[in-house]
Each structure stands twice: as structure tokens, then as C-alpha cells.
Amino acid sequence: MATRARRTQRRRQVLSREQIIDTAIELLDAGGAGGLTVRALTERLATGSGAIYYHVGTRDELLDTATETVIAAALATEPARAPATPENEIRVVALGLFDAIAEHQWLATRLAVQLTRNPWGPVTVGIFEKIGRQVRALGVPQAVWFVAASTLVHYILGAVSQTRIDGYTSGVETDEDREKFLEAASMAWQELDPADYPFMHAISGQMREHDDREQFLAGIALILDGITNLR
Amino acid sequence: MATRARRTQRRRQVLSREQIIDTAIELLDAGGAGGLTVRALTERLATGSGAIYYHVGTRDELLDTATETVIAAALATEPARAPATPENEIRVVALGLFDAIAEHQWLATRLAVQLTRNPWGPVTVGIFEKIGRQVRALGVPQAVWFVAASTLVHYILGAVSQTRIDGYTSGVETDEDREKFLEAASMAWQELDPADYPFMHAISGQMREHDDREQFLAGIALILDGITNLR
DNA sequence: ACCTGAACACCGTTCAAGT
DNA sequence: ACCTGAACACCGTTCAAGT
């Protein structure tokens, strides 16, 4: 029963690393990357700026940590409804990331920043490992594991970074907003000079009736098909 | 011969929009995104900050413009060595972007930022149009043009963003640096607990003998294969 | 060990004023 | 029309000092 205050440790610690990270994510969700300032953090947590640096380091390091936290959570959730084929598992991972970005819009940009700066950091490694295992389960020869996995990962990260929900207003997205956005994009395409942009013009119609999620999965299916052809 | 100073226009204009953009790109190449400050620009151009805003607007807008300029140049160059099959044309576009990022390292991050904020801006449209035409030339049915093109574009942008050359020191990259980097990454993988990261562990060997460019093209080949299977 | 908060250096942007 | 540059508001980070 030595559980009583060991030594005369003053035990004033009232601020935790986790608490700071959670608050940071809240600020990011509410105001994007610009919403996370050291001052906003200290205000919300009723503390001084030094405390932040003591617990989590630089603002940039905090941003890294926040990203890793959210991604790890996204990779950890396992719905496991559909039969557990490798193809389905890959889809689950991909959609998990997709949804994480829909929920935390700042992730799209920050993910890109982070991958550029440190391509083989914990984020990529985590995603790569999850995808890679399923690639192996697909039964393709070991010699092509790397190409197969990296093509999938690159596609997923590329697609997911470019899937924006609502950039500026940084709030909840209504279906109306979304429709207006697609409408506007589709119209912008049609206004392009058909002589200069024949292709864009030709497919502008497919824009209005286009579902991001569905399109995203169609791309994965296409790549999976290419992979199994490697066998 | 009305070429003589028309009217008594004072003609003090000595600073051009183009000049500012070029200098901005120089600063970016030399010091990354952090190297482009309004103050550094005014110093190099021997002018006041107001002049910058007058010609190119906000720092953020200048960054957009610089990106568009570099990307447009990358898409414009046509080597045209190999026979002009659609597959080869797609490879040329992809490698053009790859090389542009190798030359202007800040592009990787900025591209991602820009695509997230405005997914259907001039940059994406330009790339999409170029890729799309070749997809059409591939002879796949119109119904799948969009999936085919967007899968390629997403892969290319994802892969190219994650291909880093040398992030921090922001200088020229020596082969030695590169080898050290790959060596370090490969070793980091092997140090991962094989129980937690069996896949990464299994392919860590392929890392050392891996050529970014080759790998990039292998991914494209894989996707092209998937696309032609749609026929 | 944990935290405070004033101080510092450095940002982007504006705008009255000049030519 | 084109440009100057002081002024402003707002950053991230440090660090001596407190408990």
C-alpha cells in the first residue's frame, strides 16, 4: 500500500499532453490550420505558452502529433461488415481515411505537407502496413508487393487529398453547399473553350451526377484489377 | 511612327508582374516556402511592399501564380522521342510533373495545398485535360473516361507529392544524400517490430535497390493495364 | 517537475502620401 | 498609374522566474 503520495512530490500537474492534443484537434476542426495558434491554445486551456512547449514542443510538432493521432484512430476502427476478402479490407482502410478527412478537413493539406517532408514517417508506415498485408493476401508474387502497395497508397492519398468538402467556411457542409460546388465546377468546365479543352468539355456532364465516394472506390477497383493481372 | 512616348505618360513602370513571379520562384527554389517573404522579395527587387501587392496581390496569391506558372511550363515541354502512343504520352506528362517537382521542391507541398483548396482550379484542369485526351485515345468507352482519367491523375499527384528529394537543407541533392536517405529509411523499417509490421519488414530489402522514377512508372503501367481491361 | 507571461524577432497587409 | 515605407495587428518561440 505504497500508493500514498510517493515522496513529497508536489503533484501540481494539471495539464496533460493528451489534453493539449485533443484541444488542438478541436481548434483545427473549428478553424482549420489557421485556427491553431499557440495563443488560442493557451487561452482555451487557461495556461501560458511555455506549458505548451513543455508538453508537446513546437506548433509544428503538435500539428504532426495531431495528424498521427487522427490517422491512427482512423486505421484502428474496424467495421467488418462485408466478408473479409483482401479487396474489402483494402476498401475499408481507404474509406476510413476518406471519412477521416471528411471529418477533419485540415487533414487533407496537413497530410500532404507531412508526407512530403517525411515520406516514411509513422503515418505512411501505418497505412502502408495495413494495405500491404492485404496485397500479400491477394496472392501476387513477392516481387511485385512493393509496386502494388505503393500504387494503392499513392492513389488513396492523392485522391483523398484532392477530395475537398468545404474549404473556406470551415464549418459543417450541407448537401446544398455541395451541390452548388459541383454545379459551379461543372459550369466552369463548360465555359472553357472547347477548342482548348475538348476533353474537359466532353466529360463536364458527368460532373453533376458524380459521387466522390463512388468514384474513389471505382479507382481502387481499377487498380486492384491491374494488380491481380500481375499474377 | 507614333512610337514616341504616347501622351505624356510618365512611364515610370519599372517593375513587372512577371519579374516578381520569377523572383518569387527563385526565392522558393533557394529557401522553400519559408524563403518567400514579402520582405525578402522587396529587398531583392529594391522596392516597397506596396508594389508587390499592387502587381500580384497577396503572398498567397503569388504562391498560387508561381505554382501555376511552373506547372504550365512543365506541361508545355514536349520531348517526343518515343513513338507517340497514348501510353507514352501519359508517361511523358507524368514524368514532366515528376521532374518539375525534383527541380522545385516546394512544389510538392504547395501543389497539395492548392489542390485541396481548389480541386478544380487551373492546375488540375490542365493536367486532367492532357491526361484525358490520351485516355480517350486509348479507345475505352466514354462512360469510363472520367474514372480512368481521375485515377491516373490522383495517382500521379499522390506519388509525385510523396516523392521527396531533400526537404530541409533545401539545396542541390547529391547522390550520396539520396543513398543515405534510402539507407536510413530502409533501416528504420527493419527496426520496426516484425510482429507489428510484418509487411514493412518483409519488403524493407526492396527499398535500397529502389528507383523512384522506375517505381513511379511501374505504378502507371499497372493503372494503364487496369484501364485497358475496362474496354 | 511543471508552469507563468513578458519580451523578442519576425511575419503579412494596409494606406496615406508622393510622383 | 505606379510606387514608397511607416504603422499595425498578429504570429511562434524563448527564458528568467516562480512554485
Side-chain angles (χ1 to χ4, degrees), chain B residues 14-15 47-48 50-51 54-55:
Chain B
V14 76
L15 198 62
T47 182
Y54 180 81
H55 284 288

Side-chain angles (χ1 to χ4, degrees), chain A residues 4-15:
Chain A
R4 294 217 34 142
R6 44 184 105 179
R7 298 210 172 250
T8 0
Q9 214 172 344
R10 258 208 253 100
R11 182 80 179 80
R12 287 213 296 99
Q13 216 225 27
V14 74
L15 199 62

Side-chain angles (χ1 to χ4, degrees), chain A residues 24-73:
Chain A
I25 294 175
E26 281 173 31
L27 287 173
L28 286 165
D29 288 348
L36 178 64
T37 67
V38 177
R39 277 165 175 81
L41 252 187
T42 58
E43 203 173 329
R44 266 246 210 170
L45 292 166
T47 181
S49 60
I52 307 295
Y53 287 81
Y54 180 81
H55 284 288
V56 296
T58 291
R59 185 192 107 107
D60 223 59
E61 289 166 341
L62 176 54
L63 234 11
D64 282 351
T65 312
T67 304
E68 285 161 25
T69 305
V70 175
I71 294 291

Side-chain angles (χ1 to χ4, degrees), chain B residues 2-139:
Chain B
T3 323
R4 296 219 31 146
R6 43 182 106 176
R7 292 205 178 259
T8 1
Q9 214 172 343
R10 259 206 253 104
R11 180 79 178 80
R12 287 210 298 100
Q13 215 225 23
V14 76
L15 198 62
S16 74
R17 193 180 142 83
E18 272 199 357
Q19 199 182 147
I20 296 176
I21 294 169
D22 288 347
T23 311
I25 293 175
E26 282 172 30
L27 287 173
L28 287 164
D29 288 347
L36 177 64
T37 67
V38 177
R39 276 165 177 82
L41 253 186
T42 59
E43 201 173 330
R44 267 245 210 172
L45 292 166
T47 182
S49 60
I52 307 295
Y53 287 82
Y54 180 81
H55 284 288
V56 297
T58 292
R59 186 192 107 107
D60 222 60
E61 289 166 341
L62 175 54
L63 234 12
D64 282 352
T65 311
T67 304
E68 285 161 25
T69 305
V70 175
I71 294 290
L75 292 178
T77 52
E78 305 252 2
R81 28 196 171 187
T85 64
E87 285 89 347
N88 277 337
E89 297 287 345
I90 287 171
R91 274 188 274 271
V92 168
V93 174
L95 285 178
L97 292 172
F98 189 94
D99 291 339
I101 290 200
E103 220 182 323
H104 310 280
Q105 302 173 35
W106 50 274
L107 254 189
T109 295
R110 186 62 199 184
L111 205 51
V113 171
Q114 222 148 315
L115 296 185
T116 303
R117 201 178 4 175
N118 183 15
W120 294 113
V123 174
T124 324
V125 168
I127 299 174
F128 221 87
E129 176 66 31
K130 271 220 142 186
I131 296 284
R133 287 185 202 183
Q134 304 307 326
V135 164
R136 200 170 48 178
L138 238 33

